[in-house]
């Protein structure tokens, strides 16, 4: 048995000598040391030997096994070494060659506008909140002083979810961001300064309307807040977003959730507010931005606030429109914003 073990070792050493690649090396190892390998086979009858003899044979068997493993390890290193020198000869790197650059993407223009608008309002203490994008009828309409028969609550204007009504009415894909008003009043006591920017949905699609767009909503509530504050904040925004020479103008309008209500215009970039009608761009000095007003007493009440103590203003308008007004983008179809056409998106 001792001799057989010695022979096995020698046989392995001779064979491994000729091996030049990994596959053959692995096969050889399995052939000798594997579960059904030659060493196992030889030792099959060890158990039947007498105690003394078994110890001796066991010791030699271990030595043989170790010797085989060492030979295997050496060979393995030899192969790795020769492989890498072959690689080194075959492949070489020209370190003077210019590198490959991955093309870098950037934020979509709408996301850029959202970040900038949040930042501008953040600087004057308006904290960014996020009201739900799908909300209860109560927050979207009812609490905003909009009667049941208001046209916005019509199926043809607004997307309603097709699920049973709950305590706060139906679930609605928010058609405006004003749902944030009463929601925020329920959570935060005045002084309130918040800005909510979110996706909004309306049943409309043509070259100037898309069913999904973005709005931002501002709300400020405290004691003694007046239209003057609203005007100041709007002018601040106009200058920060559009440029230092721009100013805003309030025109009387009607919204259910504000009293008084206004439409907000911004002075034209070209003529600076010349209302003679001579400017060929704006034909009157002003371009329309969006809606605003003093929060209606019923809305304050819905938010748990006493209208005799608190007052506030709100404003809200479209992100896409505002952004396009600044960039002077005259696109003939608004839908291109969301078509993922890189030729368009890359321009911003
Ligand atoms: N929610 C209005 C809309 O989508 C815009 C609006 C008007 C928001 C007046 C306001 C506001 O906060 O005071 O048309």
């Amino acid at each position: 048995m001792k001799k057989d073990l010695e022979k096995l070792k020698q046989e392995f050493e001779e064979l491994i000598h000729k091996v030049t690649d990994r596959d053959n090396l692995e096969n050889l190892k399995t052939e000798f040391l594997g579960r059904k390998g030659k060493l196992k086979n030889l030792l099959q009858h060890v158990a039947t030997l007498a105690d003394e003899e078994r110890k001796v044979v066991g010791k030699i068997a271990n030595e043989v096994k170790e010797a085989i493993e060492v030979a295997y390890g050496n060979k393995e290193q030899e192969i790795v070494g020769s492989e890498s020198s072959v690689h080194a000869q075959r492949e070489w790197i020209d370190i003077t060659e210019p590198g490959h650059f991955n093309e870098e993407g950037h934020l979509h223009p709408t996301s850029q506008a959202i970040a900038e608008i949040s930042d501008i309002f953040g600087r004057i203490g308006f904290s960014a909140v996020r009201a739900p994008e799908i909300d209860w009828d109560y927050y979207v309409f009812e609490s905003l002083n909009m009667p049941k028969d208001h046209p916005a609550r019509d199926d043809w204007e607004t997307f309603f979810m097709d699920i049973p009504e709950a305590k706060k009415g139906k679930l609605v894909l928010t058609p405006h961001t004003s749902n944030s008003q009463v929601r925020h009043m329920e959570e935060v006591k005045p002084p309130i300064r918040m800005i909510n920017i979110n996706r909004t949905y309306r049943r409309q699609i043509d070259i100037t309307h898309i069913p999904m767009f973005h709005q931002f909503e501002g709300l400020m509530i405290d004691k003694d807040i007046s239209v003057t504050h609203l005007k100041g904040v709007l002018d601040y925004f106009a200058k920060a977003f559009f440029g230092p020479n721009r100013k805003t103008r309030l025109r009387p309008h009607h919204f259910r959730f504000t009293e008084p209500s206004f439409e907000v215009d911004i002075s034209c970039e070209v003529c600076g507010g010349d209302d003679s009608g001579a400017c060929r761009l704006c034909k009157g000095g002003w371009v329309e931005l969006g809606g605003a007003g003093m929060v209606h007493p019923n809305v304050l009440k819905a938010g748990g606030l006493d209208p005799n103590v608190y007052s506030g203003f709100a404003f809200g308008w479209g992100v896409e429109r505002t952004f396009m007004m600044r960039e002077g983008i005259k696109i003939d179809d608004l839908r291109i914003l969301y078509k993922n056409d890189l030729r368009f998106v890359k321009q911003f």
Side-chain angles (χ1 to χ4, degrees):
M1 176 89 83
K2 282 184 225 161
K3 271 199 201 129
D4 289 346
L5 283 167
E6 266 311 308
K7 252 173 63 195
L8 189 78
K9 192 178 113 188
Q10 265 171 23
E11 191 191 342
F12 182 81
E13 281 167 353
E14 269 162 36
L15 287 173
I16 203 170
H17 214 68
K18 297 179 201 146
V19 170
T20 53
D21 64 87
R22 278 166 198 271
D23 285 352
N24 283 327
L25 180 67
E26 283 311 314
N27 290 343
L28 194 63
K29 190 181 177 195
T30 325
E31 190 185 330
F32 280 76
L33 298 186
R35 267 197 305 134
K36 292 180 182 156
K38 291 185 167 172
L39 185 66
K40 270 268 155 64
N41 203 20
L42 251 185
L43 298 175
Q44 236 175 35
H45 306 295
V46 167
T48 60
L49 298 177
D51 263 5
E52 271 308 299
E53 213 173 334
R54 204 172 60 217
K55 267 191 202 156
V56 180
V57 171
K59 200 170 154 238
I60 298 174
N62 271 339
E63 283 166 12
V64 168
K65 193 174 164 213
E66 260 169 41
I68 289 180
E69 269 166 357
V70 168
Y72 167 86
N74 291 341
K75 192 69 185 185
E76 196 184 27
Q77 279 194 355
E78 196 183 295
I79 290 175
V80 170
S82 71
E83 272 176 1
S84 56
S85 70
V86 168
H87 268 168
Q89 276 164 17
R90 236 190 267 144
E91 291 176 13
W92 60 285
I93 296 171
D94 178 359
I95 57 165
T96 64
E97 199 181 319
H100 299 286
F101 295 97
N102 290 331
E103 198 179 340
E104 261 183 43
H106 64 72
L107 291 178
H108 186 275
T110 305
S111 302
Q112 290 178 34
I114 288 173
E116 193 179 338
I117 293 166
S118 318
D119 184 57
I120 289 173
F121 283 105
R123 278 183 248 148
I124 52 168
F126 281 67
S127 45
V129 304
R130 193 113 195 228
E133 191 178 319
I134 301 173
D135 207 352
W136 301 110
D137 177 293
Y138 174 75
Y139 292 110
V140 178
F141 299 123
E142 188 80 30
S143 67
L144 294 176
N145 201 34
M146 292 166 89
K148 285 262 183 293
D149 59 356
H150 192 279
R153 296 175 77 165
D154 192 300
D155 271 357
W156 294 107
E157 288 285 335
T158 302
F159 293 105
F160 288 92
M161 301 281 288
D162 196 9
I163 56 168
E165 277 187 39
K167 217 169 62 205
K168 290 185 173 169
K170 291 181 182 170
L171 268 184
V172 183
L173 300 195
T174 51
H176 58 181
T177 42
S178 307
N179 61 321
S180 54
Q181 295 193 13
V182 168
R183 274 197 173 271
H184 196 67
M185 289 179 226
E186 283 179 354
E187 278 172 24
V188 178
K189 291 293 144 227
I192 284 174
R193 268 176 295 176
M194 70 113 206
I195 182 106
N196 170 46
I197 309 187
N198 217 334
R199 274 184 284 267
T200 40
Y201 302 86
R202 287 185 194 176
R203 295 185 63 137
Q204 51 186 18
I205 185 154
D206 57 41
I207 56 171
T208 52
H209 296 93
I210 33 184
M212 187 285 302
F213 55 107
H214 296 74
Q215 279 195 342
F216 62 102
E217 185 87 11
L219 178 70
M220 176 164 187
I221 299 176
D222 203 348
K223 290 176 181 153
D224 301 323
I225 297 295
S226 69
V227 177
T228 328
H229 297 108
L230 169 63
K231 183 80 170 77
V233 167
L234 294 175
D235 275 340
Y236 159 78
F237 175 74
K239 288 185 196 327
F241 191 79
F242 290 98
N245 301 325
R246 310 295 284 275
K247 49 188 190 291
T248 62
R249 166 178 93 169
L250 299 179
R251 255 182 311 119
H253 196 71
H254 172 75
F255 294 106
R256 289 289 309 186
F257 35 92
T258 41
E259 184 59 41
S261 303
F262 309 103
E263 214 129 58
V264 184
D265 294 336
I266 180 163
S267 57
C268 166
E269 181 186 3
V270 173
C271 68
D274 167 16
D275 48 18
S276 72
C279 176
R280 278 170 37 211
L281 180 69
C282 64
K283 303 188 182 71
W286 301 87
V287 257
E288 188 190 316
L289 259 185
M294 301 307 292
V295 181
H296 195 287
N298 288 350
V299 177
L300 289 171
K301 275 190 224 159
L305 298 176
D306 181 349
N308 296 317
V309 179
Y310 292 107
S311 55
F313 62 77
F315 54 88
W317 58 87
V319 173
E320 286 87 346
R321 203 182 125 72
T322 307
F323 178 71
M324 286 168 49
M325 275 169 63
R326 183 182 67 184
E327 301 295 310
I329 311 171
K330 293 245 168 30
I331 55 175
D332 55 4
D333 189 339
L334 200 61
R335 290 171 287 197
I336 195 165
L337 268 171
Y338 298 110
K339 277 197 172 152
N340 286 339
D341 184 338
L342 290 179
R343 289 168 305 178
F344 174 76
V345 174
K346 272 183 176 171
Q347 297 173 41
F348 307 98

